[in-house]
Amino acid sequence: MDNYLIWLILGLVLLGVEMMIGSIYLLALVAGCAIACIFAFMGTTFTAQCIIAAVVAIAGVITAFIFRRNIRKKLTPNQDCDNLDKGQIITVEKIDSDGGATVSYRGSLWKAFAKEGKLEAGIYHIEKVDGTRLILIK
């Protein structure tokens, strides 16, 4: 059996396994087998075919790793975008004895605290929501 048929069959088997598993890394091995098949058809030595297949596979695995890392970064939610309350305006009217205040926001009462220092009566913006507490800034 000729070498190019061996590379072709190996590549097709790996492609089938890739389709069942769904790992992008096996595509790099499939590409290595395909390139080795082409070089085998051109008549290069088996050693050269193996080296070419390995180089292409390694380059493909590195490319797949970088691709997956970039996709993961894009799919990771940004913590600041999840806080829809950030920047909303709150009016503080009465200060509690602990330096915080009980404010009405979105139809319910919330415990509010200043990000720095103590609250005073006035208008604030929500910096973040910490559990059931609002952290406010001037």
Side-chain angles (χ1 to χ4, degrees):
M1 185 178 256
D2 292 328
N3 284 346
Y4 71 90
L5 286 176
I6 294 171
W7 287 111
L8 184 62
I9 291 170
L10 181 62
L12 291 174
V13 168
L14 286 172
L15 184 61
V17 172
E18 165 64 33
M19 293 172 100
M20 287 188 277
I21 293 177
S23 165
I24 195 169
Y25 295 108
L26 283 178
L27 288 177
L29 298 177
V30 171
C33 289
I35 297 297
C37 177
I38 292 170
F39 275 87
F41 190 73
M42 291 186 330
T44 59
T45 64
F46 185 70
T47 305
Q49 296 166 26
C50 290
I51 291 171
I52 290 167
V55 169
V56 170
I58 290 169
V61 167
I62 291 170
T63 303
F65 177 77
I66 292 170
F67 177 74
R68 286 188 67 181
R69 186 180 61 190
N70 289 340
I71 291 295
R72 188 173 294 133
K73 282 182 185 177
K74 289 180 183 176
L75 294 179
T76 302
N78 186 350
Q79 299 299 331
D80 291 336
C81 293
D82 288 343
N83 189 356
L84 300 176
D85 299 313
K86 185 174 182 173
Q88 298 296 320
I89 298 174
I90 295 290
T91 302
V92 175
E93 296 173 357
K94 182 180 174 189
I95 307 300
D96 296 337
S97 61
D98 61 357
T102 302
V103 296
S104 178
Y105 176 63
R106 288 194 289 164
S108 62
L109 295 177
W110 292 71
K111 191 67 178 170
F113 293 93
K115 183 176 181 182
E116 297 174 358
K118 294 192 176 205
L119 285 176
E120 300 172 354
I123 297 175
Y124 289 84
H125 294 277
I126 297 174
E127 172 67 19
K128 69 178 182 176
V129 177
D130 184 21
T132 59
R133 301 174 1 154
L134 298 175
I135 308 300
L136 306 178
I137 57 173
K138 265 289 189 188

